Amino acid sequence: MGSKKSDGKQLAQNRKASHDYFIEETFEAGMVLKGTEIKSLRNARANISDAFATIRNGEIFIHNMHISPFEQGNIHNPTDPTRTRKLLMHKEQIRKLLGQSKQEGYSIVPLKVYIRNGYAKLLLGLGKGKKQYDKRETAAKRDAQREIQRVLREKQKVIR
């Protein structure tokens, strides 16, 4: 009776991505890890805030993703925590991502790292860079929505 593990535990998130980019489409990719990197990931010892993805020779790689070394690991573990790691995606998805990212202002942005069915996954987003006025507009909308919610909560308190 093999029970299927689907915890979907989120391990790292790039919060700046939604601030700096309009995310138009997302893709899920597996990661090629070495040694005890998966143990460090399961302990949520990863950071993707400075990470970015590139496509070379039909393969996709993530750069500057920091996975801290596992403390109880042996000497054969990778010593560089920000090494370039290969991502696993279908060729059609990579071709589609490559074609779309070649357009002006688009880039491949890592959004979050999580565990699905026992495997480490990375959610990539196709993002179009925001201009400064777009960022101000987004902040103004968020503040207005927050104000509306505050007023509605106050009205609910008065009614009760």
Side-chain angles (χ1 to χ4, degrees), residues 4-71:
K4 193 171 184 180
K5 290 187 283 183
S6 63
D7 39 2
K9 180 181 174 192
Q10 183 172 315
L11 305 172
Q13 185 174 9
N14 188 355
R15 294 193 174 131
K16 283 177 55 179
S18 63
H19 182 262
D20 293 338
Y21 298 94
F22 293 113
I23 305 299
E24 298 190 359
E25 196 170 354
T26 58
F27 299 89
E28 183 181 69
M31 290 189 285
V32 177
L33 302 174
K34 292 184 179 176
T36 55
E37 286 181 330
I38 186 65
K39 292 184 178 185
S40 294
L41 268 180
R42 288 185 189 278
N43 290 335
R45 311 255 305 144
N47 184 359
I48 59 170
S49 60
D50 297 329
F52 62 96
T54 58
I55 299 175
R56 282 180 293 173
N57 300 329
E59 296 179 329
I60 187 163
F61 297 91
I62 186 161
H63 305 272
N64 289 346
M65 178 180 167
H66 188 279
I67 298 178
S68 299
F70 189 62
E71 292 86 19

Side-chain angles (χ1 to χ4, degrees), residues 54-158:
T54 58
I55 299 175
R56 282 180 293 173
N57 300 329
E59 296 179 329
I60 187 163
F61 297 91
I62 186 161
H63 305 272
N64 289 346
M65 178 180 167
H66 188 279
I67 298 178
S68 299
F70 189 62
E71 292 86 19
Q72 291 84 29
N74 58 19
I75 60 172
H76 301 293
N77 288 330
T79 55
D80 183 19
T82 58
R83 71 179 181 86
T84 301
R85 293 170 178 87
K86 185 176 176 181
L87 299 177
L88 305 171
M89 292 177 73
H90 294 286
K91 284 184 181 179
E92 304 87 49
Q93 289 179 319
I94 294 175
R95 279 193 221 111
K96 182 178 180 182
L97 199 55
L98 178 64
Q100 291 176 334
S101 66
K102 291 279 187 195
Q103 296 176 19
E104 185 73 28
Y106 283 89
S107 57
I108 305 167
V109 185
L111 301 175
K112 66 180 176 178
V113 177
Y114 55 94
I115 301 285
R116 174 173 290 159
N117 297 334
Y119 295 103
K121 301 288 184 177
L122 178 70
L123 188 67
L124 294 172
L126 182 69
K128 183 170 175 61
K130 285 185 181 180
K131 304 279 190 251
Q132 189 63 37
Y133 58 85
D134 290 329
K135 293 178 186 179
R136 284 194 294 266
E137 182 181 315
T138 303
K141 284 181 183 176
R142 184 179 60 237
D143 292 343
Q145 191 64 31
R146 216 179 272 153
E147 182 67 23
I148 290 169
Q149 292 298 323
R150 186 186 61 79
V151 170
L152 288 174
R153 275 195 308 270
E154 286 179 2
K155 285 190 174 191
Q156 289 292 332
K157 287 180 184 177
V158 171

